[in-house]
Amino acid sequence: MKKKLLVLVALLGVQFLFAQETKKIELLAVAEGNFGGTNGDVFTVSNTSGEMVTVGPFYQNANGVGTGFNVLQDFEIVGDKAILVSNAAGFRVVIAEYPSLTAIETFTSMGSPAAVVGAGAGFAYVSFSNPTSLRQIDLTNNTITHVIDTENLVSGSSKFMAYGNGYFYAAMGTSILKVDPANNTTISKFPLNIGSITGLQFDTATQSLWALGKVSGVSALQEVNTQDDSVEEAIILTGVTNASQLRFGNHKLYFLSGINVHAYDIENPDLPTSAIYTSTLPNTYFFAYGKAFQVDPVSGDFVIGNASGFTGNSAYEIIDGTTYEQLVSGTVTGCIGVNEFVLKTTESSLGVTNPTADRFTFYPNPASDIVNFHSNNDSNYSVTLYNQLGVALKTIKSNGVDSTISVSDLPAGIYFVQLQAVNSTATTVKKIVVSH
């Protein structure tokens, strides 16, 4: 009887830990709007009040009713400013304050903007077609100028661009254009061998640029070392012929194949990749429209949207990047034709008097061998690993801000890690998945 009671107490303890580990969700949704209308705008959805609540439209709330966009093509946040580009009559590029979205400067008649991406603390780049051009936005002076391209390396517009290691990169056909934002000058252009490039992401941990394309009709990834721009051998994604929307988060590359989400673990590669999640949203033209598939770069949680035929509130679902279970789904009230998201999720902690969900980070998750822990604040802490019955399986004490624990000897399943700073009462509990 006593043994059964102890097990019951352990189960209740784990349930308590799990119950306390709720996620704070902050979702920004970009509405492309109805073609010919002015309802392209930006909305937010969050659960800070306990349930998912939509706020917006932000641009019209800040600048007046009817000032929204006719086809809001792209949106980018750079520090305390945002850039909004409209790919319709007028072809607007707007610099606005963030998060209010109060307009600061508006540019028109420069061509049709294809995409915008931030390039460091004070710059962004916009790629245009009709006519083709690449221009830098200086967010300190709120100006926009052509890139200096004395060797005529800009050969077209680009929908896939990235920034990292101090440089801006743009996919142009089968090649990568490299630009130095400090002097707004093209540096080089080098080819990859994965055909037309259909995705570009930067991994700050390895200072690598990753590109998506195809080799002999099969989807493929290719890594570029940005220290010397050397190109690694293509990684063939066997069995996948339609990969799209390459994303980066939590040391993994994510991409869509139809309504399936795949993940390629950069540190522990395993091929062929298999689907980690199959979306519950309708598989129509409006599924993951535009860039309506995004990953939180820290947590690895991801969001998928559906533009809902541009006739009603756009749908979304948010998925836990560790367990691949749905966290929440719903609609963004007033968001017509969602084409982009920005997602941030954070976990609450047990330290009620001093929450520290961001005090520790760990990776990879899921894990099969070694789990790495890093403390942002403490060099003296302990890590305890529990099973789902609440039984402590392993405890390690740190020797500096970084530490590791082995899970290679554990059965596959869901576990909990409790991280305790020695000189603090704050405790963080997070889920970890062990898979072999």
CSV table of all heavy atoms in Angstrom, one decimal, residues 278-306:
chain,number,residue,atom,x,y,z
A,278,THR,N,2.1,16.0,-39.6
A,278,THR,CA,1.2,16.2,-40.7
A,278,THR,C,0.1,17.2,-40.3
A,278,THR,O,-0.6,17.0,-39.3
A,278,THR,CB,0.5,14.8,-41.1
A,278,THR,OG1,1.6,13.9,-41.5
A,278,THR,CG2,-0.4,15.0,-42.3
A,279,SER,N,0.0,18.2,-41.1
A,279,SER,CA,-0.9,19.3,-40.7
A,279,SER,C,-2.4,18.9,-40.8
A,279,SER,O,-2.8,18.0,-41.6
A,279,SER,CB,-0.7,20.5,-41.7
A,279,SER,OG,-1.7,21.6,-41.4
A,280,THR,N,-3.2,19.5,-39.9
A,280,THR,CA,-4.6,19.2,-39.9
A,280,THR,C,-5.4,20.3,-40.7
A,280,THR,O,-6.6,20.2,-40.8
A,280,THR,CB,-5.1,19.3,-38.4
A,280,THR,OG1,-4.9,20.6,-37.8
A,280,THR,CG2,-4.4,18.2,-37.6
A,281,LEU,N,-4.7,21.3,-41.2
A,281,LEU,CA,-5.3,22.3,-42.0
A,281,LEU,C,-5.7,21.8,-43.4
A,281,LEU,O,-5.0,20.9,-43.9
A,281,LEU,CB,-4.4,23.6,-42.1
A,281,LEU,CG,-4.1,24.3,-40.8
A,281,LEU,CD1,-3.1,25.4,-41.1
A,281,LEU,CD2,-5.3,24.8,-40.1
A,282,PRO,N,-6.7,22.4,-44.1
A,282,PRO,CA,-7.1,21.9,-45.4
A,282,PRO,C,-6.0,22.0,-46.4
A,282,PRO,O,-5.2,23.0,-46.5
A,282,PRO,CB,-8.2,22.9,-45.8
A,282,PRO,CG,-8.7,23.4,-44.5
A,282,PRO,CD,-7.6,23.4,-43.6
A,283,ASN,N,-5.8,20.9,-47.2
A,283,ASN,CA,-4.7,20.8,-48.2
A,283,ASN,C,-5.2,21.5,-49.5
A,283,ASN,O,-5.6,20.8,-50.4
A,283,ASN,CB,-4.3,19.4,-48.4
A,283,ASN,CG,-3.1,19.3,-49.3
A,283,ASN,OD1,-2.5,20.2,-49.6
A,283,ASN,ND2,-2.9,18.1,-49.9
A,284,THR,N,-5.2,22.8,-49.5
A,284,THR,CA,-5.6,23.5,-50.7
A,284,THR,C,-4.5,24.5,-51.1
A,284,THR,O,-3.5,24.6,-50.5
A,284,THR,CB,-6.9,24.3,-50.3
A,284,THR,OG1,-6.6,25.3,-49.4
A,284,THR,CG2,-8.0,23.4,-49.7
A,285,TYR,N,-4.8,25.2,-52.1
A,285,TYR,CA,-3.9,26.3,-52.6
A,285,TYR,C,-3.5,27.2,-51.5
A,285,TYR,O,-2.4,27.8,-51.5
A,285,TYR,CB,-4.5,27.0,-53.8
A,285,TYR,CG,-3.8,28.3,-54.2
A,285,TYR,CD1,-2.7,28.2,-55.0
A,285,TYR,CD2,-4.3,29.5,-53.8
A,285,TYR,CE1,-2.0,29.3,-55.4
A,285,TYR,CE2,-3.6,30.7,-54.2
A,285,TYR,CZ,-2.5,30.6,-55.0
A,285,TYR,OH,-1.8,31.7,-55.4
A,286,PHE,N,-4.4,27.4,-50.6
A,286,PHE,CA,-4.2,28.4,-49.5
A,286,PHE,C,-3.4,27.9,-48.4
A,286,PHE,O,-3.1,28.6,-47.4
A,286,PHE,CB,-5.5,29.0,-49.1
A,286,PHE,CG,-6.4,29.5,-50.2
A,286,PHE,CD1,-7.4,28.7,-50.7
A,286,PHE,CD2,-6.1,30.7,-50.8
A,286,PHE,CE1,-8.2,29.1,-51.7
A,286,PHE,CE2,-6.9,31.1,-51.8
A,286,PHE,CZ,-8.0,30.4,-52.3
A,287,PHE,N,-3.0,26.6,-48.4
A,287,PHE,CA,-2.2,26.0,-47.3
A,287,PHE,C,-0.8,26.6,-47.3
A,287,PHE,O,-0.1,26.6,-48.3
A,287,PHE,CB,-2.2,24.5,-47.5
A,287,PHE,CG,-1.3,23.8,-46.5
A,287,PHE,CD1,-1.7,23.6,-45.2
A,287,PHE,CD2,0.0,23.4,-46.8
A,287,PHE,CE1,-0.9,23.0,-44.2
A,287,PHE,CE2,0.8,22.8,-45.9
A,287,PHE,CZ,0.4,22.6,-44.6
A,288,ALA,N,-0.4,27.1,-46.1
A,288,ALA,CA,1.0,27.6,-46.0
A,288,ALA,C,1.3,28.6,-47.1
A,288,ALA,O,2.4,28.7,-47.7
A,288,ALA,CB,2.0,26.5,-46.0
A,289,TYR,N,0.3,29.4,-47.4
A,289,TYR,CA,0.4,30.4,-48.5
A,289,TYR,C,1.5,31.4,-48.2
A,289,TYR,O,1.7,31.9,-47.1
A,289,TYR,CB,-1.0,31.1,-48.7
A,289,TYR,CG,-1.0,32.2,-49.7
A,289,TYR,CD1,-1.1,31.9,-51.1
A,289,TYR,CD2,-0.8,33.5,-49.3
A,289,TYR,CE1,-1.1,32.9,-52.0
A,289,TYR,CE2,-0.9,34.6,-50.3
A,289,TYR,CZ,-1.0,34.2,-51.6
A,289,TYR,OH,-1.0,35.2,-52.6
A,290,GLY,N,2.3,31.7,-49.3
A,290,GLY,CA,3.3,32.7,-49.1
A,290,GLY,C,4.4,32.1,-48.2
A,290,GLY,O,5.1,31.1,-48.6
A,291,LYS,N,4.6,32.7,-47.1
A,291,LYS,CA,5.6,32.3,-46.1
A,291,LYS,C,4.9,31.9,-44.8
A,291,LYS,O,5.4,32.1,-43.7
A,291,LYS,CB,6.6,33.4,-45.8
A,291,LYS,CG,7.5,33.7,-47.0
A,291,LYS,CD,8.7,34.5,-46.7
A,291,LYS,CE,8.4,35.9,-46.2
A,291,LYS,NZ,9.6,36.7,-46.0
A,292,ALA,N,3.6,31.4,-44.9
A,292,ALA,CA,2.8,31.0,-43.7
A,292,ALA,C,3.2,29.7,-43.1
A,292,ALA,O,2.3,28.9,-42.7
A,292,ALA,CB,1.3,31.1,-44.1
A,293,PHE,N,4.5,29.5,-43.0
A,293,PHE,CA,5.1,28.4,-42.2
A,293,PHE,C,6.3,29.0,-41.6
A,293,PHE,O,7.3,29.4,-42.3
A,293,PHE,CB,5.4,27.2,-43.1
A,293,PHE,CG,6.3,26.2,-42.4
A,293,PHE,CD1,5.9,25.5,-41.2
A,293,PHE,CD2,7.6,25.9,-42.9
A,293,PHE,CE1,6.7,24.6,-40.6
A,293,PHE,CE2,8.4,25.0,-42.2
A,293,PHE,CZ,8.0,24.3,-41.1
A,294,GLN,N,6.4,29.1,-40.3
A,294,GLN,CA,7.5,29.7,-39.6
A,294,GLN,C,7.9,28.9,-38.4
A,294,GLN,O,7.0,28.3,-37.8
A,294,GLN,CB,7.2,31.1,-39.3
A,294,GLN,CG,7.1,32.1,-40.5
A,294,GLN,CD,8.4,32.3,-41.2
A,294,GLN,OE1,9.5,32.0,-40.7
A,294,GLN,NE2,8.3,32.7,-42.5
A,295,VAL,N,9.1,29.0,-38.0
A,295,VAL,CA,9.6,28.3,-36.8
A,295,VAL,C,10.2,29.3,-35.8
A,295,VAL,O,10.9,30.2,-36.2
A,295,VAL,CB,10.7,27.3,-37.2
A,295,VAL,CG1,11.3,26.6,-36.0
A,295,VAL,CG2,10.2,26.3,-38.3
A,296,ASP,N,9.9,29.1,-34.5
A,296,ASP,CA,10.6,29.9,-33.5
A,296,ASP,C,12.1,29.4,-33.5
A,296,ASP,O,12.4,28.3,-33.2
A,296,ASP,CB,10.0,29.6,-32.2
A,296,ASP,CG,10.6,30.4,-31.0
A,296,ASP,OD1,11.8,30.7,-31.1
A,296,ASP,OD2,9.9,30.7,-30.0
A,297,PRO,N,13.0,30.3,-33.8
A,297,PRO,CA,14.4,29.9,-33.9
A,297,PRO,C,15.0,29.4,-32.6
A,297,PRO,O,16.0,28.7,-32.7
A,297,PRO,CB,15.1,31.2,-34.4
A,297,PRO,CG,14.2,32.3,-34.0
A,297,PRO,CD,12.8,31.8,-34.1
A,298,VAL,N,14.4,29.7,-31.5
A,298,VAL,CA,14.9,29.3,-30.2
A,298,VAL,C,14.3,28.0,-29.8
A,298,VAL,O,15.0,27.0,-29.5
A,298,VAL,CB,14.8,30.3,-29.1
A,298,VAL,CG1,15.3,29.8,-27.8
A,298,VAL,CG2,15.5,31.6,-29.5
A,299,SER,N,13.0,27.9,-29.7
A,299,SER,CA,12.3,26.8,-29.1
A,299,SER,C,12.1,25.6,-30.2
A,299,SER,O,12.0,24.5,-29.8
A,299,SER,CB,10.9,27.1,-28.6
A,299,SER,OG,10.0,27.5,-29.7
A,300,GLY,N,12.1,26.0,-31.5
A,300,GLY,CA,11.8,25.0,-32.5
A,300,GLY,C,10.3,24.7,-32.7
A,300,GLY,O,9.9,23.9,-33.5
A,301,ASP,N,9.5,25.4,-31.9
A,301,ASP,CA,8.0,25.3,-32.1
A,301,ASP,C,7.7,25.9,-33.5
A,301,ASP,O,8.4,26.9,-33.9
A,301,ASP,CB,7.2,26.0,-31.0
A,301,ASP,CG,7.5,25.3,-29.7
A,301,ASP,OD1,7.9,24.2,-29.6
A,301,ASP,OD2,7.2,26.0,-28.6
A,302,PHE,N,6.7,25.5,-34.1
A,302,PHE,CA,6.4,26.0,-35.5
A,302,PHE,C,4.9,26.3,-35.7
A,302,PHE,O,4.0,25.7,-35.0
A,302,PHE,CB,6.9,25.2,-36.6
A,302,PHE,CG,6.6,23.7,-36.5
A,302,PHE,CD1,5.4,23.2,-37.2
A,302,PHE,CD2,7.4,22.8,-35.9
A,302,PHE,CE1,5.1,21.9,-37.1
A,302,PHE,CE2,7.1,21.4,-35.8
A,302,PHE,CZ,5.9,21.0,-36.5
A,303,VAL,N,4.6,27.1,-36.6
A,303,VAL,CA,3.2,27.5,-36.9
A,303,VAL,C,3.0,27.4,-38.4
A,303,VAL,O,3.9,27.6,-39.2
A,303,VAL,CB,3.0,29.0,-36.5
A,303,VAL,CG1,3.9,30.0,-37.2
A,303,VAL,CG2,1.5,29.4,-36.8
A,304,ILE,N,1.8,26.9,-38.7
A,304,ILE,CA,1.4,26.7,-40.1
A,304,ILE,C,0.0,27.5,-40.3
A,304,ILE,O,-0.8,27.4,-39.4
A,304,ILE,CB,1.2,25.3,-40.5
A,304,ILE,CG1,2.4,24.4,-40.1
A,304,ILE,CG2,0.9,25.1,-42.0
A,304,ILE,CD1,2.2,22.9,-40.3
A,305,GLY,N,-0.1,28.1,-41.4
A,305,GLY,CA,-1.4,28.9,-41.6
A,305,GLY,C,-2.1,28.5,-42.9
A,305,GLY,O,-1.6,27.8,-43.8
A,306,ASN,N,-3.3,28.9,-43.0
A,306,ASN,CA,-4.1,28.8,-44.2
A,306,ASN,C,-4.8,30.1,-44.5
A,306,ASN,O,-5.5,30.6,-43.6
A,306,ASN,CB,-5.1,27.6,-44.0
A,306,ASN,CG,-5.8,27.2,-45.4
A,306,ASN,OD1,-6.6,28.0,-45.9
A,306,ASN,ND2,-5.6,26.0,-45.8
